[in-house]
Amino acid sequence: MLDYVSRTGETVPALGGAERSGGGAQLPNFHRPARAPFPPLSVRKDARHHQRQKMLPRKSIIPEEFGLPGLASRLPRKPVFRDRVNKARFIAKNGACNLAHKNIREQGRFLQDVFTTLVDLKWRFTLVIFTTTFVSSWLLFAMSWWLVAFAHGDLDPERQNRTHCVTHVKSFTSAFLFSIEVQVTIGFGGRMITEQCPTAITVLIMQNIVGLIINAVMLGCIFMKTAQSNRRAETLIFSRHAVIAIRNNNLCFMIRIGDLRKSMIIGATVRLQVVKKTTTPEGEVIPIHQIDVQTESAVASNSLFLLAPLIISHVIDKSSPLYDLSAMELQCSDLEVIVILEGVVETTGITTQARTSYVAEEIQWGHRFVPIVTEEEGVYSVDYSKFGNTVKVATPRCSARELDEKPSILIQTLQKSELSHQNSLRKRNSTRRNNSMRKGAAGGGGNLRRNNSGLVAPKVQFFTPSDGSQTLNAVT
């Protein structure tokens, strides 16, 4: 008889055939091979762990600190700035204000200034009001003339032989035609008033006065809409992008403005404002905080002689809101620079204003405007096809504060700019020299030496301050 081993490791004796059958007929006793004892749970866990250790990769010969993950962790990382949140523009590129007025309860204030309200309306509404006003006045006084004729008995067919207040007014249609003739002074001659009716004379005087008032208001409104100052601003243009570069050894914010007309803007002034969302130390949130920005100008009042396109420059100094912004921080900021150009139109004497704005994406760091004014045959010529074109220049990517704290950054940038300029001159001179040598070889160039004598690159000298003294470095 064989014993069985349970899963817990205990030995259980096997039952015989008689015991299983309860004492009846005995079944043959088959001999089964003995099973090995089942290992405990702790033993099985150890076996799995040992097998898992065999499957792990072997440890590398190179220490972990010199591996690729270790080296990458010790590399200096650039500062990560937050992504710029898309903010609505305060001023559109065409100068329109992106502002909606809602929940105005006192709508009657607009009716107190009817003329300005009519001028500010769109053209379709103005034309509808213009037509409705005249037609309504004609119908109103047509009713008055018909009542005068009805009261006098001119509409009675039996009294046609009497003298009428208004001749040939026999219906409302003829009264309406007579009202138009009176108000617009057409005077066809078929209809006229007589001295029989003082009431008709009074209505005639009233209609003439009311007609003059309507003509003055509506024609004045049409004239003011056609001669609005913003129409003149359509020919005042701004550059598509603003630039930041080194100018006169200072980091400057620059834009270009121009006037397409020959008639100048008298007393033109330019104002810059930076609009951004700020929070006061007390926790007050100001969604539209306007900060005035000073512009570089020879006149204290910033008055400009806008004869040709000008570059308006703002020096980024300690008082500038751009003083702490670097090239990377500028792209992540939500500021908006508003440019306002004002002046008096020379031909009409009306004050005009042109506006535009620049967001962070429209400010190019390290660029400069290309020159567009040239002298041709004794006349200054302006090429407006290059009005907004820029070229890259060597400019530090740090903020103006860092430039003030470390002047060596600016000196190194200027040196690199001079070296790159000299390299471009050398390449240009070598290209000219090769071309002249080819021409001389083809035509027996006897003037080769004379032509190449002026192609030597000039020597540039600049000073680098070090240890309180100045050393002279020469670059050929």
Side-chain angles (χ1 to χ4, degrees):
M1 188 70 60
L2 297 177
D3 298 331
Y4 294 96
V5 179
S6 64
R7 294 185 178 273
T8 59
E10 299 178 357
T11 303
V12 180
L15 298 176
E19 296 176 355
R20 291 192 300 268
S21 59
Q26 295 184 359
L27 297 176
N29 189 9
F30 298 98
H31 296 280
R32 298 180 182 178
R35 293 184 181 179
F38 202 83
L41 182 60
S42 60
V43 177
R44 282 180 288 159
K45 288 184 178 180
D46 295 339
R48 290 179 190 147
H49 179 71
H50 182 67
Q51 186 179 5
R52 199 178 294 115
Q53 289 293 334
K54 289 182 179 181
M55 298 175 61
L56 293 177
R58 294 184 178 180
K59 194 172 184 179
S60 175
I61 302 175
I62 304 175
E64 294 182 358
E65 60 270 13
F66 295 101
L68 185 59
L71 294 175
S73 61
R74 292 197 303 270
L75 288 177
R77 297 182 179 180
K78 295 182 179 180
V80 180
F81 298 95
R82 62 178 178 85
D83 296 335
R84 180 183 179 272
V85 181
N86 293 329
K87 185 179 73 70
R89 304 178 73 109
F90 186 56
I91 300 293
K93 295 298 290 184
N94 59 357
C97 296
N98 188 18
L99 186 66
H101 299 276
K102 296 181 179 180
N103 300 326
I104 300 178
R105 298 180 179 179
E106 299 180 1
Q107 298 287 344
R109 292 181 177 271
F110 295 98
L111 299 178
Q112 296 177 3
D113 188 7
V114 180
F115 186 78
T116 305
T117 304
L118 293 176
V119 174
D120 291 339
L121 290 176
K122 296 182 178 180
W123 269 106
R124 55 178 177 267
F125 300 118
T126 303
L127 294 178
V128 169
I129 294 175
F130 182 87
T131 305
T132 305
T133 303
F134 278 101
V135 173
S136 300
S137 64
W138 295 339
L139 290 173
L140 176 64
F141 284 99
M143 180 62 67
S144 300
W145 290 117
W146 185 83
L147 291 176
V148 169
F150 179 79
H152 193 259
D154 297 342
L155 304 180
D156 190 358
E158 299 178 358
R159 305 176 62 180
Q160 294 296 329
N161 297 327
R162 295 180 53 185
T163 303
H164 296 175
C165 290
V166 181
T167 59
H168 299 90
V169 173
K170 302 177 181 180
S171 62
F172 182 80
T173 304
S174 58
F176 178 73
L177 294 176
F178 180 71
S179 175
I180 296 175
E181 294 177 13
V182 171
Q183 188 161 338
V184 299
T185 63
I186 296 178
F188 292 115
R191 301 177 183 86
M192 61 181 180
I193 64 173
T194 62
E195 65 277 4
Q196 297 294 328
C197 298
T199 306
I201 299 175
T202 304
V203 173
L204 177 64
I205 295 174
M206 293 179 58
Q207 185 172 5
N208 287 331
I209 295 175
V210 173
L212 290 176
I213 294 175
I214 294 176
N215 290 337
V217 174
M218 299 309 300
L219 294 180
C221 176
I222 298 297
F223 172 77
M224 290 302 297
K225 286 187 69 67
T226 55
Q228 280 183 340
S229 58
N230 55 2
R231 304 300 177 186
R232 179 62 177 88
E234 296 294 334
T235 53
L236 299 175
I237 57 176
F238 301 88
S239 57
R240 182 68 181 176
H241 295 86
V243 298
I244 294 179
I246 297 296
R247 192 181 197 187
N248 297 329
N249 297 329
N250 292 317
L251 194 63
C252 298
F253 173 88
M254 292 172 285
I255 61 170
R256 176 177 276 172
I257 61 175
D259 187 6
L260 300 179
R261 291 186 181 273
K262 290 186 177 180
S263 58
M264 295 186 302
I265 299 295
I266 302 174
T269 58
V270 175
R271 294 188 292 116
L272 299 181
Q273 283 189 348
V274 173
V275 177
K276 61 180 181 179
K277 182 179 180 180
T278 58
T279 304
T280 61
E282 295 78 15
E284 179 185 0
V285 178
I286 304 176
I288 303 176
H289 186 202
Q290 302 180 16
I291 306 173
D292 291 332
V293 177
Q294 297 296 328
T295 58
E296 184 183 18
S297 178
V299 183
S301 61
N302 290 340
S303 181
L304 304 173
F305 184 56
L306 195 58
L307 180 63
L310 299 177
I311 295 177
I312 305 301
S313 175
H314 159 63
V315 179
I316 304 178
D317 52 9
K318 295 181 179 180
S319 61
S320 173
L322 308 176
Y323 186 64
D324 296 325
L325 294 180
S326 62
M328 185 67 68
E329 293 173 346
L330 177 63
Q331 296 300 322
C332 301
S333 62
D334 58 351
L335 60 85
E336 179 179 357
V337 181
I338 299 176
V339 183
I340 303 173
L341 173 60
E342 294 179 339
V344 179
V345 182
E346 184 180 20
T347 54
T348 60
I350 300 176
T351 303
T352 185
Q353 184 183 94
R355 300 178 296 267
T356 191
S357 68
Y358 300 93
V359 294
E361 290 83 359
E362 297 170 348
I363 301 176
Q364 297 180 346
W365 193 290
H367 285 71
R368 182 175 58 194
F369 290 108
V370 299
I372 60 175
V373 180
T374 57
E375 186 178 358
E376 299 177 357
E377 299 178 356
V379 178
Y380 289 98
S381 176
V382 180
D383 186 7
Y384 281 100
S385 63
K386 303 178 182 179
F387 182 80
N389 294 358
T390 60
V391 62
K392 287 186 177 181
V393 292
T395 305
R397 305 288 294 179
C398 60
S399 62
R401 178 184 292 276
E402 295 180 10
L403 287 180
D404 292 344
E405 295 175 354
K406 300 178 181 179
S408 59
I409 299 177
L410 179 59
I411 296 175
Q412 294 175 3
T413 303
L414 295 177
Q415 290 178 359
K416 292 179 181 179
S417 177
E418 290 293 340
L419 291 176
S420 62
H421 179 66
Q422 292 302 321
N423 291 333
S424 63
L425 286 179
R426 290 195 193 94
K427 292 180 181 179
R428 189 182 306 171
N429 292 338
S430 62
T431 304
R432 292 178 181 176
R433 188 181 298 108
N434 294 334
N435 294 336
S436 60
M437 290 177 64
R438 293 174 184 175
K439 292 180 182 179
N447 300 329
L448 181 60
R449 181 177 301 175
R450 183 182 62 185
N451 293 337
N452 292 337
S453 60
L455 297 178
V456 180
K459 182 177 294 185
V460 179
Q461 298 179 354
F462 49 85
F463 294 94
T464 303
S466 60
D467 300 334
S469 60
Q470 293 181 347
T471 60
L472 179 64
N473 298 329
V475 180
T476 58

